[in-house]
Amino acid sequence: MTTELTQTKTESAIRFAQQAERLSLVPHDPLREHAGETAVEARFITPQDPIIETASGGRLPTVPIREAQKLNKLKDEVEGRDSSRDATASGGLRQSEQEKSAAMQERAEFEKQHDTKPYTKSSLFHSPSANLSLRNAPPPSQTNPLFPPLPLYGPSTVLRDWQCMSFRVSSFFLSLSFLGVIVLGSAFTSIPLMLRHVGLRLTGKNPDARRPFYTEEERRKKERQEAETAWTNPGQSTDNLEKFRDSDGECASHCNTYEPTEGGVDPLICDVGYYARRVGLDVEEFKVQTEDGFIITLWHVYNPKEYVPVSSAHRGYKKPEVFPNGHVRSGHTNGACGSQYKDGKRRYPVLLIHGLLQSSGAYCCNDDDSLAFFLCKSGFDVWLGNNRCGFKPEHSMLQYSDPRMWAWNIRQMGVIDLPAFISRVLSETGFDKLGLVCHSQGTTQTFVALAKGQRPDLGNKISVFCALAPAAYAGPLIGKMYFKFMRIISPGMFRIIFGIHAFIPFMMTMHAMLPGKLYGALGYRVFSFLFNWTDDRWDQGLRDRMFQFAPVYVSAESMRWWLGRECFAKQKCILATREEGKQEDEEDEEEDYFIHNKSHPTEEVNTGPENNDDQSRGRTAWYDAQVPPFALWVTGSDDLVDGKRLLRRFERGREPHVRVVHSKVIEEYEHLDVIWAMDSIEKVGKEVRKVLWETASPNAHNTCRTPEGCEDVG
């Protein structure tokens, strides 16, 4: 009996070593030179996200659930634990529950691929397991149509390296050809506009005079020229108070508080700190390690007259964990801000997250009308999060060429990057909650992270979620020819064309090589062609600056999630299948019929779907009671996303737990106008400021300074 047990353990140890090698950083190492890089267990940071921990404590990105389960089960066998009874090392998820859930996932995937029956989220999402805690709930199988499994890339081998190189070579030429077609398309579609402008010039008219803010643009242009001259020639008068006056002709309250430390002609560089210093602020950069080992960047905007930047060692990345025990108390005494701001003068923390292909520099392009600088000067403690890879891809263990560095999509940005940002900000400020402001894709990753079955407990760390141009439903632009091409090709062909690493990295090469003015003009034309928006409401004099902070490195897998044949482009929604969307539309049409058809008697109207109880209307709810309050600013002329449909979802009672504290549809705004329009501070920024303060806790009101413009908020 003892011999048999020993033999069984030996066999398990061999199989465990083989499975560990599959998931390790490097292949089998007989000399043990890289023993610390060997996989030892899988940790489930969410029910769907097992990451690999190595012997040295390092982290490797998410792997398929079955691979993680197999590693943990073999580990249990080797160590003499019963996986069916004892909680495994996977964060408290019982192995038997994992296996059942994985089997359900495989069955659902089979049915979806073979069309054996309709596959809906609600049928599986609202099972008894959905009521379990985040750590103990089995992986919900409903996410398959929306978040299909990521590919598994093992450690480097000759065959794998050859395959990766093949993908890189094919994608270099094919994606470059695709980019060339887009650039040519943008050039050809610009010709009619150029001819119209030339025609107006020939008739003695100024084509820019038709722009909605032409007079204000000219005034600001003149002010910038005067400021540049004054900075370059300090002997000339610098008392031009006009450049500090607000729309009512009164001197802005901060004109003597914030003194610029940079100036002159704008060199058009990708440096947030430089543009902060032009308006009397500054920026320090923090490094944050995510739970799967990525090193991401967090920018802190501050007033140099009241805050001293912390050391580079303090700003470096910490352990790959979020919300460690005592992080609020420690942050209050040892954090970068918590240790410097005293009670009564503290600043309430606000985290801003950027959109697709952008960085958070998008919030810092418009001088004092930049949302980040406006909130900072209003009295908030402003932090800017930049998702994984960004301008400089970094990982604690992986290199750029490793395909595992790029095996992620919107889910990982939501359930891993976002908690890492929030945890670090709270640890540096000493608060238990913060205000979250997101634009476009930033709203998507937050909507995903807060959903049931993802990371809903994150809602307990957010006082309010301000969504600018919320991206939950697709707009009509998804049907454009170039997007349709990406949707009709197979996943295999997508990887041949766009690779398994970064998505068209040549764009970043162009960014580094081209002069700022040329790159800004080209960037605007290309993105305007792709996303069907204009610069009509922007300050044209700053447009080239706006494109210095985009694009950034994103994974090809992430773009496949947005535009490929399986996920968002097909489902037209981030958290519901296409079938569920059609069902919602039918219910809304039926409800509108009962509401608006006056020919029906009262008795019939009362039987309409609008009178269904909340439980019935919320049967497909995405969120539970942990969700924070929402505030939404919807762009009414946006072809990229359909924010009005999201508002309708909330208004029709499909999310009984969501409390919308503010909503606004700005009909004339396009997708980027919420952060770049010349009147965005008036129409968006001041309302965001007020909502952030209104939803802050009473304790925050007692310990923080009251933001400018919020004196009337109780």
Side-chain angles (χ1 to χ4, degrees):
M1 184 69 178
T2 304
T3 304
E4 292 179 359
L5 183 61
T6 302
Q7 184 176 0
T8 301
K9 280 197 171 186
T10 302
E11 292 174 354
S12 296
I14 293 172
R15 287 187 288 129
F16 173 74
Q18 293 171 339
Q19 180 66 8
E21 182 180 348
R22 256 174 78 81
L23 305 177
S24 295
L25 177 66
V26 295
H28 180 58
D29 182 19
L31 299 179
R32 305 286 292 172
E33 293 179 357
H34 302 281
E37 298 168 351
T38 302
V40 293
E41 65 181 77
R43 291 189 176 275
F44 282 73
I45 57 176
T46 80
Q48 300 176 83
D49 293 282
I51 55 91
I52 297 301
E53 182 167 335
T54 65
S56 63
R59 300 290 180 88
L60 292 172
T62 304
V63 298
I65 293 175
R66 273 206 173 279
E67 299 291 335
Q69 292 165 346
K70 184 177 180 180
L71 180 71
N72 283 355
K73 187 173 183 178
L74 290 170
K75 181 182 176 71
D76 287 345
E77 290 178 3
V78 171
E79 296 180 354
R81 286 200 298 263
D82 185 352
S83 294
S84 63
R85 295 189 179 187
D86 300 329
T88 69
S90 58
L93 295 173
R94 291 187 178 278
Q95 198 74 41
S96 58
E97 288 179 336
Q98 295 173 354
E99 290 173 345
K100 291 176 184 177
S101 300
M104 290 174 65
Q105 276 192 315
E106 288 191 352
R107 176 61 183 168
E109 183 69 16
F110 177 84
E111 291 168 351
K112 180 177 69 126
Q113 292 176 352
H114 295 80
D115 295 324
T116 56
K117 65 177 182 179
Y119 182 79
T120 63
K121 177 163 73 80
S122 56
S123 61
L124 290 168
F125 188 60
H126 302 283
S127 62
S129 63
N131 295 321
L132 297 175
S133 68
L134 173 67
R135 295 174 65 82
N136 294 321
S141 57
Q142 88 287 346
T143 56
N144 254 333
L146 304 163
F147 307 105
L150 292 167
L152 173 65
Y153 302 108
S156 175
T157 63
V158 174
L159 178 60
R160 197 207 72 171
D161 291 347
W162 181 86
Q163 291 173 330
C164 290
M165 182 57 66
S166 299
F167 278 120
R168 293 186 73 174
V169 171
S170 68
S171 64
F172 175 80
F173 292 104
L174 294 176
S175 66
L176 199 58
S177 300
F178 178 83
L179 180 62
V181 171
I182 297 299
V183 172
L184 287 175
S186 66
F188 282 122
T189 55
S190 298
I191 292 175
L193 177 63
M194 181 181 66
L195 293 177
R196 284 197 298 271
H197 279 212
V198 170
L200 288 171
R201 296 284 185 188
L202 292 176
T203 58
K205 298 179 181 178
N206 183 355
D208 291 334
R210 300 177 299 173
R211 294 172 60 83
F213 297 107
Y214 174 71
T215 303
E216 178 65 14
E217 281 185 277
E218 290 297 302
R219 187 185 70 81
R220 293 189 185 185
K221 180 180 179 182
K222 183 179 179 181
E223 287 180 358
R224 284 194 297 270
Q225 290 173 343
E226 291 174 351
E228 290 168 2
T229 301
W231 184 271
T232 307
N233 303 293
Q236 297 185 12
S237 173
T238 58
D239 293 330
N240 183 13
L241 288 179
E242 290 300 318
K243 65 187 176 185
F244 298 117
R245 294 189 183 276
D246 60 19
S247 58
D248 296 324
E250 297 179 357
C251 184
S253 61
H254 57 70
C255 64
N256 295 318
T257 306
Y258 301 94
E259 297 177 2
T261 54
E262 296 277 8
V265 177
D266 185 356
L268 295 176
I269 55 177
C270 182
D271 184 350
V272 170
Y274 171 79
Y275 291 110
R277 292 188 290 274
R278 285 179 71 100
V279 296
L281 301 172
D282 211 337
V283 171
E284 60 180 345
E285 181 176 285
F286 287 72
K287 293 292 186 179
V288 180
Q289 183 172 190
T290 66
E291 292 165 287
D292 59 349
F294 281 87
I295 310 301
I296 53 181
T297 303
L298 184 65
W299 293 328
H300 178 218
V301 184
Y302 63 90
N303 179 1
K305 289 190 174 183
E306 64 175 38
Y307 174 86
V308 179
V310 294
S311 67
S312 58
H314 184 103
R315 290 184 279 111
Y317 63 84
K318 314 296 183 186
K319 293 180 179 179
E321 59 181 355
V322 296
F323 311 116
N325 291 333
H327 69 281
V328 173
R329 182 175 62 257
S330 174
H332 195 279
T333 55
N334 302 318
C337 300
S339 61
Q340 296 194 42
Y341 296 133
K342 304 306 178 184
D343 283 354
K345 291 295 183 180
R346 301 178 74 193
R347 288 170 172 256
Y348 191 67
V350 178
L351 173 65
L352 280 67
I353 304 292
H354 58 83
L356 178 63
L357 293 172
Q358 288 187 316
S359 71
S360 283
Y363 293 112
C364 306
C365 302
N366 288 337
D367 293 330
D368 276 322
D369 285 326
S370 304
L371 183 59
F373 300 157
F374 169 76
L375 291 176
C376 182
K377 290 188 176 185
S378 293
F380 289 100
D381 194 10
V382 176
W383 299 77
L384 306 173
N386 296 281
N387 287 308
R388 56 185 59 200
C389 293
F391 289 116
K392 184 182 179 182
E394 291 183 85
H395 191 277
S396 60
M397 301 186 73
L398 300 175
Q399 301 298 317
Y400 178 97
S401 59
D402 195 316
R404 290 174 289 184
M405 179 90 165
W406 306 96
W408 50 268
N409 58 34
I410 194 71
R411 279 202 64 260
Q412 285 68 44
M413 295 163 70
V415 302
I416 301 178
D417 289 6
L418 185 59
F421 284 133
I422 295 176
S423 176
R424 186 61 182 270
V425 172
L426 297 181
S427 296
E428 297 295 346
T429 59
F431 285 84
D432 58 354
K433 289 188 178 185
L434 53 70
L436 180 63
V437 181
C438 301
H439 173 247
S440 189
Q441 178 187 257
T443 69
T444 305
Q445 67 188 90
T446 306
F447 284 133
V448 169
L450 295 174
K452 293 185 288 188
Q454 307 296 332
R455 206 154 192 174
D457 56 339
L458 191 62
N460 298 318
K461 306 294 183 181
I462 302 170
S463 58
V464 67
F465 168 35
C466 297
L468 313 181
Y473 291 96
L477 196 67
I478 203 72
K480 287 281 187 177
M481 175 270 297
Y482 37 85
F483 291 141
K484 189 175 291 185
F485 164 75
M486 301 173 81
R487 188 166 72 248
I488 63 175
I489 60 177
S490 67
M493 184 57 67
F494 192 100
R495 292 182 177 117
I496 290 174
I497 297 175
F498 298 105
I500 57 176
H501 294 79
F503 180 75
I504 318 185
F506 186 74
M507 293 188 293
M508 276 57 74
T509 304
M510 292 175 60
H511 192 181
M513 293 175 56
L514 294 179
K517 195 167 186 63
L518 175 59
Y519 179 80
L522 181 61
Y524 167 70
R525 291 299 173 195
V526 169
F527 282 96
S528 176
F529 171 73
L530 281 174
F531 302 121
N532 203 30
W533 34 249
T534 68
D535 64 352
D536 289 350
R537 309 188 71 83
W538 311 348
D539 187 338
Q540 256 191 332
L542 299 178
R543 192 185 70 186
D544 292 339
R545 182 192 297 180
M546 297 169 180
F547 286 90
Q548 301 310 307
F549 298 98
V552 296
Y553 286 98
V554 298
S555 69
E557 282 295 327
S558 178
M559 295 304 294
R560 190 170 76 86
W561 184 88
W562 279 111
L563 302 172
R565 70 191 305 178
E566 299 169 288
C567 308
F568 181 73
K570 175 184 178 181
Q571 309 295 347
K572 305 294 192 297
C573 182
I574 62 171
L575 288 169
T577 62
R578 185 167 52 181
E579 291 76 15
E580 289 179 302
K582 290 178 180 178
Q583 184 178 349
E584 277 189 22
D585 290 339
E586 292 172 0
E587 290 176 357
D588 288 344
E589 290 175 4
E590 184 181 354
E591 182 172 339
D592 290 339
Y593 173 81
F594 279 98
I595 291 174
H596 298 295
N597 193 330
K598 303 297 184 182
S599 63
H600 285 268
T602 304
E603 291 77 8
E604 288 188 62
V605 173
N606 287 339
T607 62
E610 74 276 13
N611 293 288
N612 291 354
D613 56 45
D614 291 341
Q615 184 176 1
S616 175
R617 293 312 307 269
R619 67 187 182 281
T620 57
W622 302 341
Y623 303 106
D624 62 18
Q626 300 178 87
V627 68
F630 284 6
L632 302 100
W633 285 262
V634 172
T635 45
S637 299
D638 192 345
D639 289 339
L640 187 58
V641 297
D642 188 352
K644 293 180 180 179
R645 184 169 183 179
L646 179 64
L647 270 181
R648 190 169 73 239
R649 177 179 181 84
F650 296 144
E651 292 166 353
R652 299 291 172 99
R654 290 194 173 86
E655 294 296 337
H657 293 293
V658 172
R659 181 167 65 96
V660 178
V661 296
H662 181 92
S663 65
K664 182 178 184 179
V665 178
I666 310 174
E667 291 293 348
E668 68 273 21
Y669 267 23
E670 296 174 338
H671 194 65
L672 284 167
D673 290 345
V674 281
I675 57 173
W676 286 353
M678 293 185 68
D679 60 349
S680 63
I681 293 299
E682 287 296 323
K683 292 192 172 182
V684 179
K686 291 183 178 180
E687 295 176 4
V688 168
R689 176 179 65 184
K690 187 174 182 180
V691 168
L692 288 169
W693 189 239
E694 285 177 337
T695 52
S697 69
N699 182 58
H701 281 222
N702 292 332
T703 59
C704 295
R705 67 189 74 183
T706 300
E708 217 174 89
C710 297
E711 294 80 6
D712 60 337
V713 176

